[in-house]
Amino acid sequence: MSTAVATKKCPRCGTDSRELVRIDAGMRIALAEGGMAKEIPGEACTNCIGEFSKLVSQGARLRAQRKAREANQVALWRNRINVLKQGRTFLAQRLFVEAAIEFEKYIRIIEIVSELKPGELKPEHLKKNAKSNELDVFISTLWDLIKIYDMNASYQPKLKEKVEMIVEFSKQAPSFPRLARKMVAYSKKAKNKEVFNDLLTRCNAPKSKCFIATSTYGDPLHPQVLLLTRFRDETLENNVAGRIFIWIYYKVSPLIADFLDKNPHLKTTSRNLLDRIAKKVQILLEKKP
């Protein structure tokens, strides 16, 4: 006479089993880390235990892969500084191709760390957490690439690509006013003048080139800036001495404007000085026939 075998229903899969195995704390923690906390019963059939073991093994592999990826991202993020330094060293040595390679490598590092494909990087990705100060560095690097790609007609596609990027990123960068002055100054000697004129227009870069006055008053459309610009155009441009002065001014004024931006407490002094100059300029312009 046969005896009926007692069975229990597995709380996970619902099948009848002669034996249910208790799920130990270690497996429970490992499964919870894999996002299965709500699906873990106190005990389960041997088939379910086997599945859990496979999941734990797979989860361990995934965690190891994730940790390796995170470690690689950290290493890349730290190495970006060395890449930039190398690029700028090449640039100082006029090794433009080598510099461009390093700068492009820097951009790719930013994309990899942000877990993005080439071309997917947006300003908001550089404004998060530790990358909050990276935006200024990024557009400065773009600007270096643009100048390099401006040198050779074969780089036209790259030039246009980087122009599109800097137009998008510059709108969010705190240091853009300083960069705008560099863009305006460079545009006069650029080989691709149409590209740079379009760049200045799209970036709303001030075209007056009154760098010191714009920095001092904080607005390229300030009445004093417009007055000094008018004096340049109507008076200084019309004689040799004036044109020489303008040439010298364009050489040194971006540096002075940058210095003022970095030391805003000096702008009161420069404003007082420019106000006095503007008064004299106003008198001279009023006397003109």
Side-chain angles (χ1 to χ4, degrees):
M1 183 176 177
S2 61
T3 304
V5 178
T7 60
K8 295 181 180 180
K9 190 177 290 293
C10 175
R12 178 175 181 266
C13 66
T15 59
D16 292 329
S17 177
R18 294 177 60 182
E19 181 183 8
L20 295 181
V21 180
R22 183 175 175 274
I23 299 174
D24 62 48
M27 180 176 286
R28 186 178 296 278
I29 292 171
L31 289 169
E33 288 178 350
M36 294 185 60
K38 295 181 180 179
E39 302 176 27
I40 308 172
E43 53 186 10
C45 66
T46 53
N47 287 336
C48 287
I49 292 295
E51 290 181 22
F52 286 151
S53 297
K54 290 179 181 178
L55 288 172
V56 168
S57 177
Q58 182 182 21
R61 288 197 302 273
L62 291 174
R63 285 194 298 276
Q65 291 171 358
R66 185 175 66 247
K67 287 181 179 179
R69 185 170 63 251
E70 290 172 352
N72 182 54
Q73 289 176 336
V74 170
L76 283 172
W77 182 251
R78 290 174 178 169
N79 189 51
R80 82 196 191 287
I81 300 299
N82 294 328
V83 170
L84 277 178
K85 285 181 178 178
Q86 185 63 66
R88 285 167 183 166
T89 298
F90 284 142
L91 191 60
Q93 296 171 346
R94 302 183 66 80
L95 299 172
F96 300 118
V97 173
E98 291 82 354
I101 290 172
E102 295 301 310
F103 292 148
E104 291 283 8
K105 191 185 298 182
Y106 162 77
I107 293 174
R108 186 62 192 128
I109 286 174
I110 300 298
E111 290 172 335
I112 292 172
V113 170
S114 302
E115 298 184 344
L116 299 169
K117 295 178 182 178
E120 290 184 346
L121 190 66
K122 300 295 179 184
E124 52 267 25
H125 294 125
L126 293 175
K127 296 179 73 175
K128 296 176 182 177
N129 304 325
K131 306 183 191 70
S132 58
N133 296 324
E134 198 71 19
L135 192 52
D136 286 336
V137 178
F138 189 80
I139 66 164
S140 176
T141 304
L142 285 177
W143 176 241
D144 285 333
L145 279 169
I146 285 171
K147 289 186 292 183
I148 292 172
Y149 293 148
D150 179 54
M151 297 177 183
N152 194 312
S154 63
Y155 292 146
Q156 278 286 317
K158 285 284 189 181
L159 173 62
K160 292 179 179 179
E161 173 191 309
K162 294 302 180 285
V163 164
E164 291 300 321
M165 290 182 71
I166 205 168
V167 167
E168 181 177 13
F169 281 80
S170 63
K171 297 172 184 177
Q172 306 287 333
S175 68
F176 177 67
R178 292 198 300 274
L179 178 62
R181 289 193 286 272
K182 295 178 182 178
M183 291 165 63
V184 171
Y186 181 84
S187 65
K188 290 200 74 173
K189 60 182 179 181
K191 291 186 177 180
N192 296 274
K193 292 191 180 297
E194 289 186 7
V195 173
F196 279 85
N197 287 336
D198 179 61
L199 171 61
L200 294 176
T201 300
R202 294 172 66 192
C203 287
N204 295 319
K207 296 182 180 180
S208 71
K209 296 188 182 178
C210 285
F211 301 127
I212 297 174
T214 300
S215 174
T216 297
Y217 294 107
D219 182 1
L221 299 179
H222 189 281
Q224 302 291 57
V225 178
L226 296 177
L227 177 65
L228 294 170
T229 302
R230 180 186 163 201
F231 178 68
R232 178 201 65 193
D233 295 341
E234 295 182 8
T235 303
L236 296 180
E237 286 279 9
N238 294 327
N239 60 80
V240 175
R243 288 194 292 271
I244 292 173
F245 173 81
I246 292 171
W247 182 84
I248 295 172
Y249 178 82
Y250 287 165
K251 288 290 184 182
V252 302
S253 61
L255 296 175
I256 297 173
D258 282 348
F259 182 76
L260 288 173
D261 285 342
K262 293 174 183 176
N263 299 275
H265 61 282
L266 297 176
K267 290 189 178 183
T268 300
T269 302
S270 64
R271 188 183 186 106
N272 291 335
L273 177 61
L274 287 176
D275 283 344
R276 289 199 293 270
I277 293 173
K279 285 181 181 179
K280 294 181 179 179
V281 164
Q282 182 70 50
I283 294 171
L284 289 173
L285 289 174
E286 288 175 353
K287 288 182 178 179
K288 286 188 68 174

